[in-house]
Amino acid sequence: MHAPARPIDNIVVHSVLDDGTAVCLRTIRPDDAGLLRAGIQKLSAESRYLRFFSPAPAMPDAVIERLVDVDGHDHIAWGAICTECEGEPAIGAVHAVRHKAGAGGDEMRVGEYSIAILDAFHGQGLARMMTAALLVDCLAEGLTTLDVNILSENHAALGLVKAMGGTRKEESRGVAEYVIDVAAALEALRSDLGARGVQDVLKQLGAG
């Protein structure tokens, strides 16, 4: 049984990328498996490797099922669609998955962050837009800290995490581990007044 829809699940955020391309953002739903699968197949081998640590052209069904197994609380996810592209394809997705409860059974306020964007839309502000939406949602659902594991060669992701004030924990076998304070990261994105897309996201989600 799927989790009941939340008010934020009915919001579709409309904005434009830095180059003027029209996009919309919304929460990912369980019936988005086809969109995500098609999007992953359009990633370059390098981008698939940086996101999934594997260059395989297609992800196993089990991976797709996990990506759309979204309940809005333990698994929060937002996707972006190019509204002016033919067929309105999915062009990016961002996830936060809550860690399992501790030994005492208390609900964890820490999750894991991940993001992927089609190569053609890199460097256009989309990562910050989607992440801003995700962070607003995380705070509403009591997720206050996000872990992120990044391949050390993924300079774009490292730059984003550092821009949000991410704190480096350690690096092992080429994977760097960072911790993001959700409230501080959201404030860092909000403070970038030149990021029109982020400001649109925050305004339309009532967090501007």
Side-chain angles (χ1 to χ4, degrees):
M1 181 180 295
H2 299 313
R6 306 166 299 150
I8 199 170
D9 294 326
N10 297 318
I11 298 176
V12 177
V13 175
H14 293 275
S15 186
V16 296
L17 302 181
D18 292 349
D19 66 356
T21 301
V23 298
C24 72
L25 277 62
R26 63 167 174 80
T27 56
I28 290 176
R29 303 184 293 252
D31 60 0
D32 285 328
L35 278 173
L36 263 68
R37 188 184 301 278
I40 291 172
Q41 290 175 342
K42 291 178 182 177
L43 290 171
S44 67
E46 179 183 11
S47 290
R48 284 194 299 271
Y49 171 66
L50 293 176
R51 166 61 180 88
F52 297 103
F53 296 16
S54 168
M59 294 294 105
D61 289 343
V63 172
I64 301 297
E65 289 171 4
R66 286 198 299 271
L67 291 175
V68 296
D69 185 17
V70 177
D71 64 3
H73 183 71
D74 291 329
H75 183 178
I76 300 167
W78 282 74
I81 292 172
C82 178
T83 53
E84 67 177 56
C85 299
E86 183 178 357
E88 298 192 349
I91 60 174
V94 61
H95 298 257
V97 180
R98 191 186 304 268
H99 294 323
K100 293 182 179 180
D106 294 334
E107 183 174 70
M108 294 290 287
R109 298 175 67 83
V110 181
E112 184 168 353
Y113 165 89
S114 61
I115 186 169
I117 295 173
L118 293 191
D119 297 64
F121 298 90
H122 286 181
Q124 297 296 330
L126 183 57
R128 283 170 166 76
M129 291 169 63
M130 291 195 303
T131 299
L134 183 83
L135 295 177
V136 170
D137 208 347
C138 283
L139 286 180
E141 296 297 331
L143 266 176
T144 60
T145 305
L146 294 175
D147 294 329
V148 54
N149 297 314
I150 311 171
L151 286 171
S152 300
E153 60 206 86
N154 192 344
H155 303 298
L158 287 169
L160 174 60
V161 169
K162 290 177 181 178
M164 293 190 294
T167 302
R168 184 166 175 164
K169 292 172 58 179
E170 60 181 298
E171 180 172 346
S172 176
R173 297 183 180 180
V175 178
E177 297 182 27
Y178 282 79
V179 175
I180 298 171
D181 179 278
V182 172
L186 182 58
E187 186 56 36
L189 293 177
R190 182 185 285 115
S191 299
D192 185 0
L193 299 179
R196 172 185 170 182
V198 170
Q199 304 308 321
D200 285 347
V201 169
L202 296 178
K203 182 177 180 180
Q204 293 177 53
L205 292 181

